[in-house]
Amino acid sequence: MESQKKLVRTFSFEFFPPNTPEGADKLAQTAKQLAQLNPKFFSVTYGAGGSTRERTLRAVLDLRAAGHAAAPHISCVGSSRNDIREILKEYQTHGIRHVVALRGDLPSGTAASGEFHYANELVAFIRGEFSDQFHIEVAAYPEYHPQARSAQDDLLSFKRKVEAGADSAITQYFYNTDCYFHFVDECEAMGLSLPIVPGIMPIGRFSQLARFSDASGAEIPRWIRRKLEGYGDDTASIRAFGLDVVTKLCDDLLAAGAPGLHFYTMNQAGLTTTIWQRLGL
Ligand code: FAD
């Protein structure tokens, strides 16, 4: 954690692009509330294969028009070089200078017909075509990516992304600080010194969290899973327990030198704001 301790902390909040006018209004309200916490930026996810291309851009432009810094995610799987070039040119036209660059996942059963296989190729492409005009964030996996052949392979994949030109990284969410600190130490041992900001998933609904974790490989520790299962439909208890667990997680991460926090907000302000207030940030 040595290099992480020297850095200015970065706090950011992630949204998904709304697909109805009501969703867009709600997101504007959520962003307004969260903006009071003074994050460095908001980010907006991107559907693999370009499925949310317009909506992601729309959401980013709406956030920027409301005076907030906002970065679109961009994923490359299933896309051609020309598709990606066009999207980035469009971002450039709108003055966007910050992206979260990902491989993405195509829906199961869909064949990948694009020209990119892994995120390092996207990062290299952005640097090759646009030099340093974009600040590039990439994804990191302290519990390792579920498709990685081995932990070591995944670390080398991460290193390739960084060496291709990533400026900083945001992690998949986790509830066990050891995996994060170990990952950061391993990156430092490989000579990587970029900020690796922990991704934080507040706990609101157990069924949703379990679904995300099954898909992403982000572990819910057994004791947390058992507690949440035991609450059944008692959402107030799930929320109260989740707030305690996630606030402590954030507190431990920051106390040990994590260079900020990136909250997966699910377009809701409530849990993130409460955690923030409890942390006294
Ligand atoms: P990569 O870094 O390419 O890694 C994917 C897998 O391939 C890993 O197992 C890696 O070890 C392996 N790998 C990499 N290079 C090689 C190689 N040369 N040979 C063999 N194996 C290799 N998804 C979306 O669709 N939209 C989003 O907006 C989005 N936002 C995200 C934001 C964050 C902060 C995070 C953590 C994830 C996000 N995701 C998003 C999910 C992400 O797209 C998936 O986790 C996806 O499976 C991997 O993307 P990646 O960019 O990490 O891929």
Side-chain angles (χ1 to χ4, degrees), residues 14 45-48 73 75 100-105 118-120 139-141 145 147-149 153-154 157 160-161 170-172 264:
E14 182 172 308
T45 60
Y46 184 92
H73 295 207
S75 71
V100 183
L102 304 140
R103 182 196 71 177
D105 293 305
Y118 299 107
N120 67 299
Y141 300 86
H145 187 268
Q147 289 158 8
R149 279 177 299 225
D153 258 25
D154 206 33
S157 297
R160 268 195 298 274
K161 285 197 281 201
I170 300 171
T171 77
Q172 182 56 278
Y264 296 106

PDB file of all heavy atoms in Angstrom, residues 14 45-48 73 75 100-105 118-120 139-141 145 147-149 153-154 157 160-161 170-172 264, ligand 1:
ATOM      1  N   GLU A  14     -21.165   5.756  -9.251  1.00  0.00           N
ATOM      2  CA  GLU A  14     -21.514   5.154 -10.547  1.00  0.00           C
ATOM      3  C   GLU A  14     -23.029   5.042 -10.721  1.00  0.00           C
ATOM      4  O   GLU A  14     -23.749   4.682  -9.792  1.00  0.00           O
ATOM      5  CB  GLU A  14     -20.877   3.754 -10.615  1.00  0.00           C
ATOM      6  CG  GLU A  14     -21.126   3.049 -11.934  1.00  0.00           C
ATOM      7  CD  GLU A  14     -20.320   1.771 -12.040  1.00  0.00           C
ATOM      8  OE1 GLU A  14     -19.089   1.800 -11.837  1.00  0.00           O
ATOM      9  OE2 GLU A  14     -20.935   0.727 -12.328  1.00  0.00           O
ATOM     10  N   THR A  45     -22.470   3.642 -16.721  1.00  0.00           N
ATOM     11  CA  THR A  45     -22.109   2.362 -17.336  1.00  0.00           C
ATOM     12  C   THR A  45     -22.563   2.305 -18.807  1.00  0.00           C
ATOM     13  O   THR A  45     -23.371   3.116 -19.260  1.00  0.00           O
ATOM     14  CB  THR A  45     -22.697   1.164 -16.568  1.00  0.00           C
ATOM     15  OG1 THR A  45     -24.120   1.294 -16.566  1.00  0.00           O
ATOM     16  CG2 THR A  45     -22.177   1.107 -15.151  1.00  0.00           C
ATOM     17  N   TYR A  46     -22.053   1.269 -19.479  1.00  0.00           N
ATOM     18  CA  TYR A  46     -22.238   1.137 -20.924  1.00  0.00           C
ATOM     19  C   TYR A  46     -22.570  -0.321 -21.208  1.00  0.00           C
ATOM     20  O   TYR A  46     -21.853  -1.212 -20.753  1.00  0.00           O
ATOM     21  CB  TYR A  46     -20.912   1.528 -21.585  1.00  0.00           C
ATOM     22  CG  TYR A  46     -20.915   1.548 -23.080  1.00  0.00           C
ATOM     23  CD1 TYR A  46     -21.209   2.711 -23.768  1.00  0.00           C
ATOM     24  CD2 TYR A  46     -20.596   0.404 -23.808  1.00  0.00           C
ATOM     25  CE1 TYR A  46     -21.189   2.746 -25.154  1.00  0.00           C
ATOM     26  CE2 TYR A  46     -20.577   0.425 -25.188  1.00  0.00           C
ATOM     27  CZ  TYR A  46     -20.876   1.602 -25.858  1.00  0.00           C
ATOM     28  OH  TYR A  46     -20.850   1.622 -27.226  1.00  0.00           O
ATOM     29  N   GLY A  47     -23.644  -0.568 -21.938  1.00  0.00           N
ATOM     30  CA  GLY A  47     -24.027  -1.955 -22.241  1.00  0.00           C
ATOM     31  C   GLY A  47     -23.102  -2.564 -23.273  1.00  0.00           C
ATOM     32  O   GLY A  47     -22.819  -1.933 -24.298  1.00  0.00           O
ATOM     33  N   ALA A  48     -22.609  -3.751 -22.994  1.00  0.00           N
ATOM     34  CA  ALA A  48     -21.663  -4.397 -23.907  1.00  0.00           C
ATOM     35  C   ALA A  48     -22.280  -4.510 -25.304  1.00  0.00           C
ATOM     36  O   ALA A  48     -23.490  -4.709 -25.450  1.00  0.00           O
ATOM     37  CB  ALA A  48     -21.287  -5.766 -23.381  1.00  0.00           C
ATOM     38  N   HIS A  73     -18.557   5.012 -19.279  1.00  0.00           N
ATOM     39  CA  HIS A  73     -17.845   3.757 -19.451  1.00  0.00           C
ATOM     40  C   HIS A  73     -17.913   3.434 -20.941  1.00  0.00           C
ATOM     41  O   HIS A  73     -18.829   3.870 -21.635  1.00  0.00           O
ATOM     42  CB  HIS A  73     -18.518   2.623 -18.679  1.00  0.00           C
ATOM     43  CG  HIS A  73     -18.500   2.793 -17.189  1.00  0.00           C
ATOM     44  ND1 HIS A  73     -18.543   1.735 -16.323  1.00  0.00           N
ATOM     45  CD2 HIS A  73     -18.439   3.904 -16.405  1.00  0.00           C
ATOM     46  CE1 HIS A  73     -18.505   2.177 -15.072  1.00  0.00           C
ATOM     47  NE2 HIS A  73     -18.458   3.495 -15.095  1.00  0.00           N
ATOM     48  N   SER A  75     -17.251  -0.123 -23.454  1.00  0.00           N
ATOM     49  CA  SER A  75     -16.770  -1.509 -23.509  1.00  0.00           C
ATOM     50  C   SER A  75     -16.554  -1.885 -24.964  1.00  0.00           C
ATOM     51  O   SER A  75     -17.224  -1.378 -25.863  1.00  0.00           O
ATOM     52  CB  SER A  75     -17.742  -2.454 -22.808  1.00  0.00           C
ATOM     53  OG  SER A  75     -18.905  -2.594 -23.566  1.00  0.00           O
ATOM     54  N   VAL A 100     -14.072   5.185 -18.593  1.00  0.00           N
ATOM     55  CA  VAL A 100     -13.782   3.923 -17.909  1.00  0.00           C
ATOM     56  C   VAL A 100     -13.784   2.864 -19.013  1.00  0.00           C
ATOM     57  O   VAL A 100     -14.827   2.618 -19.638  1.00  0.00           O
ATOM     58  CB  VAL A 100     -14.842   3.612 -16.825  1.00  0.00           C
ATOM     59  CG1 VAL A 100     -14.480   2.330 -16.081  1.00  0.00           C
ATOM     60  CG2 VAL A 100     -14.984   4.788 -15.847  1.00  0.00           C
ATOM     61  N   ALA A 101     -12.618   2.279 -19.293  1.00  0.00           N
ATOM     62  CA  ALA A 101     -12.453   1.411 -20.469  1.00  0.00           C
ATOM     63  C   ALA A 101     -12.493  -0.062 -20.067  1.00  0.00           C
ATOM     64  O   ALA A 101     -11.691  -0.519 -19.258  1.00  0.00           O
ATOM     65  CB  ALA A 101     -11.123   1.727 -21.156  1.00  0.00           C
ATOM     66  N   LEU A 102     -13.446  -0.784 -20.686  1.00  0.00           N
ATOM     67  CA  LEU A 102     -13.693  -2.180 -20.285  1.00  0.00           C
ATOM     68  C   LEU A 102     -13.790  -3.107 -21.478  1.00  0.00           C
ATOM     69  O   LEU A 102     -14.110  -2.657 -22.581  1.00  0.00           O
ATOM     70  CB  LEU A 102     -15.044  -2.245 -19.546  1.00  0.00           C
ATOM     71  CG  LEU A 102     -15.116  -1.311 -18.363  1.00  0.00           C
ATOM     72  CD1 LEU A 102     -16.472  -0.671 -18.286  1.00  0.00           C
ATOM     73  CD2 LEU A 102     -14.754  -2.041 -17.096  1.00  0.00           C
ATOM     74  N   ARG A 103     -13.594  -4.373 -21.201  1.00  0.00           N
ATOM     75  CA  ARG A 103     -13.906  -5.360 -22.235  1.00  0.00           C
ATOM     76  C   ARG A 103     -15.417  -5.512 -22.352  1.00  0.00           C
ATOM     77  O   ARG A 103     -15.971  -5.515 -23.421  1.00  0.00           O
ATOM     78  CB  ARG A 103     -13.285  -6.711 -21.884  1.00  0.00           C
ATOM     79  CG  ARG A 103     -13.542  -7.761 -22.949  1.00  0.00           C
ATOM     80  CD  ARG A 103     -13.277  -9.163 -22.459  1.00  0.00           C
ATOM     81  NE  ARG A 103     -14.266  -9.604 -21.500  1.00  0.00           N
ATOM     82  CZ  ARG A 103     -14.290 -10.813 -20.963  1.00  0.00           C
ATOM     83  NH1 ARG A 103     -13.359 -11.694 -21.272  1.00  0.00           N
ATOM     84  NH2 ARG A 103     -15.233 -11.146 -20.103  1.00  0.00           N
ATOM     85  N   GLY A 104     -16.098  -5.670 -21.191  1.00  0.00           N
ATOM     86  CA  GLY A 104     -17.540  -5.925 -21.196  1.00  0.00           C
ATOM     87  C   GLY A 104     -17.823  -7.407 -21.353  1.00  0.00           C
ATOM     88  O   GLY A 104     -16.914  -8.222 -21.556  1.00  0.00           O
ATOM     89  N   ASP A 105     -19.083  -7.768 -21.202  1.00  0.00           N
ATOM     90  CA  ASP A 105     -19.531  -9.160 -21.351  1.00  0.00           C
ATOM     91  C   ASP A 105     -20.709  -9.164 -22.298  1.00  0.00           C
ATOM     92  O   ASP A 105     -21.709  -8.497 -22.029  1.00  0.00           O
ATOM     93  CB  ASP A 105     -20.024  -9.714 -20.005  1.00  0.00           C
ATOM     94  CG  ASP A 105     -18.897  -9.842 -19.003  1.00  0.00           C
ATOM     95  OD1 ASP A 105     -17.907 -10.500 -19.333  1.00  0.00           O
ATOM     96  OD2 ASP A 105     -19.040  -9.275 -17.904  1.00  0.00           O
ATOM     97  N   TYR A 118      -9.807  -8.150 -25.435  1.00  0.00           N
ATOM     98  CA  TYR A 118      -9.558  -7.832 -24.025  1.00  0.00           C
ATOM     99  C   TYR A 118      -9.394  -6.324 -23.851  1.00  0.00           C
ATOM    100  O   TYR A 118      -9.049  -5.609 -24.805  1.00  0.00           O
ATOM    101  CB  TYR A 118      -8.297  -8.557 -23.531  1.00  0.00           C
ATOM    102  CG  TYR A 118      -8.426 -10.055 -23.627  1.00  0.00           C
ATOM    103  CD1 TYR A 118      -7.728 -10.769 -24.592  1.00  0.00           C
ATOM    104  CD2 TYR A 118      -9.275 -10.744 -22.762  1.00  0.00           C
ATOM    105  CE1 TYR A 118      -7.864 -12.151 -24.698  1.00  0.00           C
ATOM    106  CE2 TYR A 118      -9.422 -12.128 -22.861  1.00  0.00           C
ATOM    107  CZ  TYR A 118      -8.719 -12.818 -23.828  1.00  0.00           C
ATOM    108  OH  TYR A 118      -8.868 -14.183 -23.927  1.00  0.00           O
ATOM    109  N   ALA A 119      -9.590  -5.886 -22.606  1.00  0.00           N
ATOM    110  CA  ALA A 119      -9.575  -4.444 -22.338  1.00  0.00           C
ATOM    111  C   ALA A 119      -8.221  -3.797 -22.638  1.00  0.00           C
ATOM    112  O   ALA A 119      -8.169  -2.622 -23.005  1.00  0.00           O
ATOM    113  CB  ALA A 119      -9.977  -4.188 -20.884  1.00  0.00           C
ATOM    114  N   ASN A 120      -7.122  -4.556 -22.500  1.00  0.00           N
ATOM    115  CA  ASN A 120      -5.813  -3.936 -22.786  1.00  0.00           C
ATOM    116  C   ASN A 120      -5.739  -3.462 -24.238  1.00  0.00           C
ATOM    117  O   ASN A 120      -5.101  -2.461 -24.554  1.00  0.00           O
ATOM    118  CB  ASN A 120      -4.656  -4.885 -22.438  1.00  0.00           C
ATOM    119  CG  ASN A 120      -4.606  -6.099 -23.338  1.00  0.00           C
ATOM    120  OD1 ASN A 120      -5.544  -6.881 -23.373  1.00  0.00           O
ATOM    121  ND2 ASN A 120      -3.532  -6.271 -24.077  1.00  0.00           N
ATOM    122  N   ALA A 139     -10.798  -1.581 -15.007  1.00  0.00           N
ATOM    123  CA  ALA A 139     -11.348  -2.390 -13.907  1.00  0.00           C
ATOM    124  C   ALA A 139     -10.246  -3.260 -13.292  1.00  0.00           C
ATOM    125  O   ALA A 139      -9.355  -3.733 -14.000  1.00  0.00           O
ATOM    126  CB  ALA A 139     -12.457  -3.284 -14.446  1.00  0.00           C
ATOM    127  N   ALA A 140     -10.343  -3.460 -11.970  1.00  0.00           N
ATOM    128  CA  ALA A 140      -9.396  -4.344 -11.264  1.00  0.00           C
ATOM    129  C   ALA A 140     -10.214  -5.322 -10.410  1.00  0.00           C
ATOM    130  O   ALA A 140     -11.326  -4.993  -9.980  1.00  0.00           O
ATOM    131  CB  ALA A 140      -8.470  -3.516 -10.379  1.00  0.00           C
ATOM    132  N   TYR A 141      -9.663  -6.492 -10.183  1.00  0.00           N
ATOM    133  CA  TYR A 141     -10.420  -7.561  -9.500  1.00  0.00           C
ATOM    134  C   TYR A 141      -9.618  -8.127  -8.332  1.00  0.00           C
ATOM    135  O   TYR A 141      -8.853  -9.083  -8.507  1.00  0.00           O
ATOM    136  CB  TYR A 141     -10.769  -8.677 -10.515  1.00  0.00           C
ATOM    137  CG  TYR A 141     -11.599  -8.141 -11.655  1.00  0.00           C
ATOM    138  CD1 TYR A 141     -10.996  -7.571 -12.779  1.00  0.00           C
ATOM    139  CD2 TYR A 141     -12.987  -8.130 -11.577  1.00  0.00           C
ATOM    140  CE1 TYR A 141     -11.744  -7.018 -13.801  1.00  0.00           C
ATOM    141  CE2 TYR A 141     -13.754  -7.578 -12.606  1.00  0.00           C
ATOM    142  CZ  TYR A 141     -13.122  -7.028 -13.709  1.00  0.00           C
ATOM    143  OH  TYR A 141     -13.881  -6.471 -14.713  1.00  0.00           O
ATOM    144  N   HIS A 145     -10.739 -12.020 -11.619  1.00  0.00           N
ATOM    145  CA  HIS A 145     -11.872 -12.076 -12.545  1.00  0.00           C
ATOM    146  C   HIS A 145     -12.324 -13.531 -12.686  1.00  0.00           C
ATOM    147  O   HIS A 145     -11.487 -14.438 -12.779  1.00  0.00           O
ATOM    148  CB  HIS A 145     -11.436 -11.491 -13.900  1.00  0.00           C
ATOM    149  CG  HIS A 145     -12.563 -11.353 -14.866  1.00  0.00           C
ATOM    150  ND1 HIS A 145     -12.887 -12.334 -15.762  1.00  0.00           N
ATOM    151  CD2 HIS A 145     -13.463 -10.353 -15.051  1.00  0.00           C
ATOM    152  CE1 HIS A 145     -13.933 -11.933 -16.484  1.00  0.00           C
ATOM    153  NE2 HIS A 145     -14.296 -10.736 -16.072  1.00  0.00           N
ATOM    154  N   GLN A 147     -13.309 -15.318 -15.057  1.00  0.00           N
ATOM    155  CA  GLN A 147     -12.866 -16.102 -16.219  1.00  0.00           C
ATOM    156  C   GLN A 147     -11.353 -16.292 -16.270  1.00  0.00           C
ATOM    157  O   GLN A 147     -10.849 -16.921 -17.201  1.00  0.00           O
ATOM    158  CB  GLN A 147     -13.304 -15.407 -17.511  1.00  0.00           C
ATOM    159  CG  GLN A 147     -14.796 -15.478 -17.742  1.00  0.00           C
ATOM    160  CD  GLN A 147     -15.269 -14.380 -18.689  1.00  0.00           C
ATOM    161  OE1 GLN A 147     -14.472 -13.659 -19.282  1.00  0.00           O
ATOM    162  NE2 GLN A 147     -16.569 -14.262 -18.818  1.00  0.00           N
ATOM    163  N   ALA A 148     -10.635 -15.723 -15.309  1.00  0.00           N
ATOM    164  CA  ALA A 148      -9.167 -15.816 -15.383  1.00  0.00           C
ATOM    165  C   ALA A 148      -8.728 -17.264 -15.181  1.00  0.00           C
ATOM    166  O   ALA A 148      -9.289 -17.972 -14.342  1.00  0.00           O
ATOM    167  CB  ALA A 148      -8.540 -14.916 -14.326  1.00  0.00           C
ATOM    168  N   ARG A 149      -7.707 -17.666 -15.945  1.00  0.00           N
ATOM    169  CA  ARG A 149      -7.202 -19.038 -15.813  1.00  0.00           C
ATOM    170  C   ARG A 149      -6.599 -19.250 -14.438  1.00  0.00           C
ATOM    171  O   ARG A 149      -6.689 -20.316 -13.853  1.00  0.00           O
ATOM    172  CB  ARG A 149      -6.151 -19.322 -16.891  1.00  0.00           C
ATOM    173  CG  ARG A 149      -6.769 -19.669 -18.252  1.00  0.00           C
ATOM    174  CD  ARG A 149      -5.688 -19.862 -19.278  1.00  0.00           C
ATOM    175  NE  ARG A 149      -4.923 -18.628 -19.429  1.00  0.00           N
ATOM    176  CZ  ARG A 149      -4.559 -18.101 -20.591  1.00  0.00           C
ATOM    177  NH1 ARG A 149      -4.864 -18.719 -21.702  1.00  0.00           N
ATOM    178  NH2 ARG A 149      -3.881 -16.978 -20.661  1.00  0.00           N
ATOM    179  N   ASP A 153      -2.381 -15.195 -13.753  1.00  0.00           N
ATOM    180  CA  ASP A 153      -2.739 -14.756 -15.106  1.00  0.00           C
ATOM    181  C   ASP A 153      -3.524 -13.459 -15.069  1.00  0.00           C
ATOM    182  O   ASP A 153      -3.344 -12.567 -15.897  1.00  0.00           O
ATOM    183  CB  ASP A 153      -3.663 -15.811 -15.744  1.00  0.00           C
ATOM    184  CG  ASP A 153      -2.911 -16.675 -16.714  1.00  0.00           C
ATOM    185  OD1 ASP A 153      -1.690 -16.799 -16.552  1.00  0.00           O
ATOM    186  OD2 ASP A 153      -3.567 -17.222 -17.624  1.00  0.00           O
ATOM    187  N   ASP A 154      -4.429 -13.370 -14.103  1.00  0.00           N
ATOM    188  CA  ASP A 154      -5.278 -12.182 -14.019  1.00  0.00           C
ATOM    189  C   ASP A 154      -4.452 -10.950 -13.646  1.00  0.00           C
ATOM    190  O   ASP A 154      -4.676  -9.859 -14.170  1.00  0.00           O
ATOM    191  CB  ASP A 154      -6.390 -12.414 -12.987  1.00  0.00           C
ATOM    192  CG  ASP A 154      -7.618 -11.576 -13.287  1.00  0.00           C
ATOM    193  OD1 ASP A 154      -7.899 -11.329 -14.481  1.00  0.00           O
ATOM    194  OD2 ASP A 154      -8.292 -11.152 -12.335  1.00  0.00           O
ATOM    195  N   SER A 157      -2.805  -9.860 -16.679  1.00  0.00           N
ATOM    196  CA  SER A 157      -3.761  -9.169 -17.561  1.00  0.00           C
ATOM    197  C   SER A 157      -3.940  -7.734 -17.091  1.00  0.00           C
ATOM    198  O   SER A 157      -4.011  -6.800 -17.903  1.00  0.00           O
ATOM    199  CB  SER A 157      -5.123  -9.862 -17.544  1.00  0.00           C
ATOM    200  OG  SER A 157      -5.021 -11.161 -18.041  1.00  0.00           O
ATOM    201  N   ARG A 160      -0.987  -5.710 -18.081  1.00  0.00           N
ATOM    202  CA  ARG A 160      -1.021  -5.343 -19.512  1.00  0.00           C
ATOM    203  C   ARG A 160      -1.900  -4.114 -19.752  1.00  0.00           C
ATOM    204  O   ARG A 160      -1.577  -3.246 -20.542  1.00  0.00           O
ATOM    205  CB  ARG A 160      -1.552  -6.520 -20.349  1.00  0.00           C
ATOM    206  CG  ARG A 160      -0.470  -7.438 -20.875  1.00  0.00           C
ATOM    207  CD  ARG A 160      -1.020  -8.337 -21.982  1.00  0.00           C
ATOM    208  NE  ARG A 160      -2.085  -9.198 -21.478  1.00  0.00           N
ATOM    209  CZ  ARG A 160      -1.874 -10.371 -20.897  1.00  0.00           C
ATOM    210  NH1 ARG A 160      -0.663 -10.841 -20.769  1.00  0.00           N
ATOM    211  NH2 ARG A 160      -2.888 -11.101 -20.457  1.00  0.00           N
ATOM    212  N   LYS A 161      -3.024  -4.063 -19.024  1.00  0.00           N
ATOM    213  CA  LYS A 161      -3.925  -2.914 -19.203  1.00  0.00           C
ATOM    214  C   LYS A 161      -3.236  -1.633 -18.746  1.00  0.00           C
ATOM    215  O   LYS A 161      -3.371  -0.585 -19.341  1.00  0.00           O
ATOM    216  CB  LYS A 161      -5.199  -3.079 -18.360  1.00  0.00           C
ATOM    217  CG  LYS A 161      -6.180  -4.057 -18.885  1.00  0.00           C
ATOM    218  CD  LYS A 161      -7.555  -3.897 -18.277  1.00  0.00           C
ATOM    219  CE  LYS A 161      -7.683  -4.497 -16.904  1.00  0.00           C
ATOM    220  NZ  LYS A 161      -9.079  -4.781 -16.528  1.00  0.00           N
ATOM    221  N   ILE A 170     -10.464   1.094 -10.940  1.00  0.00           N
ATOM    222  CA  ILE A 170     -11.567   0.967  -9.976  1.00  0.00           C
ATOM    223  C   ILE A 170     -11.800  -0.526  -9.807  1.00  0.00           C
ATOM    224  O   ILE A 170     -11.842  -1.260 -10.805  1.00  0.00           O
ATOM    225  CB  ILE A 170     -12.849   1.633 -10.521  1.00  0.00           C
ATOM    226  CG1 ILE A 170     -12.618   3.123 -10.785  1.00  0.00           C
ATOM    227  CG2 ILE A 170     -14.008   1.426  -9.550  1.00  0.00           C
ATOM    228  CD1 ILE A 170     -13.767   3.811 -11.531  1.00  0.00           C
ATOM    229  N   THR A 171     -11.976  -0.968  -8.582  1.00  0.00           N
ATOM    230  CA  THR A 171     -12.115  -2.418  -8.394  1.00  0.00           C
ATOM    231  C   THR A 171     -13.569  -2.885  -8.471  1.00  0.00           C
ATOM    232  O   THR A 171     -14.510  -2.116  -8.247  1.00  0.00           O
ATOM    233  CB  THR A 171     -11.568  -2.891  -7.025  1.00  0.00           C
ATOM    234  OG1 THR A 171     -12.513  -2.567  -6.005  1.00  0.00           O
ATOM    235  CG2 THR A 171     -10.198  -2.330  -6.725  1.00  0.00           C
ATOM    236  N   GLN A 172     -13.694  -4.153  -8.752  1.00  0.00           N
ATOM    237  CA  GLN A 172     -14.952  -4.862  -8.509  1.00  0.00           C
ATOM    238  C   GLN A 172     -15.224  -4.743  -7.006  1.00  0.00           C
ATOM    239  O   GLN A 172     -14.299  -4.581  -6.212  1.00  0.00           O
ATOM    240  CB  GLN A 172     -14.768  -6.334  -8.908  1.00  0.00           C
ATOM    241  CG  GLN A 172     -15.986  -7.204  -8.756  1.00  0.00           C
ATOM    242  CD  GLN A 172     -17.153  -6.649  -9.539  1.00  0.00           C
ATOM    243  OE1 GLN A 172     -17.842  -5.748  -9.066  1.00  0.00           O
ATOM    244  NE2 GLN A 172     -17.374  -7.168 -10.734  1.00  0.00           N
ATOM    245  N   TYR A 264     -20.978   1.999  -6.142  1.00  0.00           N
ATOM    246  CA  TYR A 264     -21.965   1.496  -7.102  1.00  0.00           C
ATOM    247  C   TYR A 264     -23.325   1.878  -6.537  1.00  0.00           C
ATOM    248  O   TYR A 264     -23.858   1.185  -5.663  1.00  0.00           O
ATOM    249  CB  TYR A 264     -21.839  -0.028  -7.241  1.00  0.00           C
ATOM    250  CG  TYR A 264     -20.502  -0.455  -7.814  1.00  0.00           C
ATOM    251  CD1 TYR A 264     -19.518  -1.042  -7.028  1.00  0.00           C
ATOM    252  CD2 TYR A 264     -20.227  -0.245  -9.151  1.00  0.00           C
ATOM    253  CE1 TYR A 264     -18.296  -1.420  -7.561  1.00  0.00           C
ATOM    254  CE2 TYR A 264     -19.003  -0.616  -9.700  1.00  0.00           C
ATOM    255  CZ  TYR A 264     -18.047  -1.202  -8.899  1.00  0.00           C
ATOM    256  OH  TYR A 264     -16.850  -1.562  -9.436  1.00  0.00           O
TER     257      TYR A 264
HETATM  258  P1  FAD B   1     -10.284  -7.635 -19.199  1.00  0.00           P
HETATM  259  O1  FAD B   1      -9.333  -6.798 -18.441  1.00  0.00           O
HETATM  260  O2  FAD B   1     -10.069  -7.786 -20.655  1.00  0.00           O
HETATM  261  O3  FAD B   1     -10.272  -9.081 -18.501  1.00  0.00           O
HETATM  262  C1  FAD B   1     -11.295 -10.019 -18.790  1.00  0.00           C
HETATM  263  C2  FAD B   1     -10.771 -11.435 -18.555  1.00  0.00           C
HETATM  264  O4  FAD B   1      -9.860 -11.798 -19.583  1.00  0.00           O
HETATM  265  C3  FAD B   1      -9.991 -11.625 -17.260  1.00  0.00           C
HETATM  266  O5  FAD B   1     -10.264 -12.917 -16.784  1.00  0.00           O
HETATM  267  C4  FAD B   1      -8.540 -11.513 -17.692  1.00  0.00           C
HETATM  268  O6  FAD B   1      -7.655 -12.197 -16.812  1.00  0.00           O
HETATM  269  C5  FAD B   1      -8.611 -12.174 -19.046  1.00  0.00           C
HETATM  270  N1  FAD B   1      -7.606 -11.695 -19.979  1.00  0.00           N
HETATM  271  C6  FAD B   1      -7.252 -10.420 -20.235  1.00  0.00           C
HETATM  272  N2  FAD B   1      -6.318 -10.366 -21.209  1.00  0.00           N
HETATM  273  C7  FAD B   1      -6.093 -11.664 -21.598  1.00  0.00           C
HETATM  274  C8  FAD B   1      -5.271 -12.271 -22.576  1.00  0.00           C
HETATM  275  N3  FAD B   1      -4.492 -11.536 -23.387  1.00  0.00           N
HETATM  276  N4  FAD B   1      -5.304 -13.631 -22.705  1.00  0.00           N
HETATM  277  C9  FAD B   1      -6.120 -14.383 -21.901  1.00  0.00           C
HETATM  278  N5  FAD B   1      -6.928 -13.849 -20.960  1.00  0.00           N
HETATM  279  C10 FAD B   1      -6.908 -12.508 -20.809  1.00  0.00           C
HETATM  280  N6  FAD B   1     -19.398  -4.150 -17.876  1.00  0.00           N
HETATM  281  C11 FAD B   1     -20.154  -3.548 -18.825  1.00  0.00           C
HETATM  282  O7  FAD B   1     -20.644  -4.230 -19.725  1.00  0.00           O
HETATM  283  N7  FAD B   1     -20.397  -2.204 -18.800  1.00  0.00           N
HETATM  284  C12 FAD B   1     -19.874  -1.390 -17.856  1.00  0.00           C
HETATM  285  O8  FAD B   1     -20.109  -0.188 -17.878  1.00  0.00           O
HETATM  286  C13 FAD B   1     -19.051  -1.980 -16.843  1.00  0.00           C
HETATM  287  N8  FAD B   1     -18.466  -1.224 -15.886  1.00  0.00           N
HETATM  288  C14 FAD B   1     -17.613  -1.811 -14.980  1.00  0.00           C
HETATM  289  C15 FAD B   1     -16.961  -0.994 -14.069  1.00  0.00           C
HETATM  290  C16 FAD B   1     -16.081  -1.556 -13.132  1.00  0.00           C
HETATM  291  C17 FAD B   1     -15.373  -0.645 -12.159  1.00  0.00           C
HETATM  292  C18 FAD B   1     -15.877  -2.951 -13.107  1.00  0.00           C
HETATM  293  C19 FAD B   1     -14.980  -3.579 -12.069  1.00  0.00           C
HETATM  294  C20 FAD B   1     -16.539  -3.767 -14.020  1.00  0.00           C
HETATM  295  C21 FAD B   1     -17.398  -3.210 -14.980  1.00  0.00           C
HETATM  296  N9  FAD B   1     -18.037  -3.987 -15.935  1.00  0.00           N
HETATM  297  C22 FAD B   1     -18.839  -3.389 -16.891  1.00  0.00           C
HETATM  298  C23 FAD B   1     -17.875  -5.444 -15.956  1.00  0.00           C
HETATM  299  C24 FAD B   1     -16.758  -5.892 -16.923  1.00  0.00           C
HETATM  300  O9  FAD B   1     -17.085  -5.555 -18.239  1.00  0.00           O
HETATM  301  C25 FAD B   1     -16.622  -7.410 -16.768  1.00  0.00           C
HETATM  302  O10 FAD B   1     -16.093  -7.729 -15.515  1.00  0.00           O
HETATM  303  C26 FAD B   1     -15.857  -8.086 -17.894  1.00  0.00           C
HETATM  304  O11 FAD B   1     -16.042  -9.499 -17.746  1.00  0.00           O
HETATM  305  C27 FAD B   1     -14.361  -7.833 -17.872  1.00  0.00           C
HETATM  306  O12 FAD B   1     -14.043  -6.597 -18.283  1.00  0.00           O
HETATM  307  P2  FAD B   1     -12.533  -6.067 -18.115  1.00  0.00           P
HETATM  308  O13 FAD B   1     -12.464  -4.748 -18.746  1.00  0.00           O
HETATM  309  O14 FAD B   1     -12.099  -6.187 -16.721  1.00  0.00           O
HETATM  310  O15 FAD B   1     -11.780  -7.166 -19.017  1.00  0.00           O
END
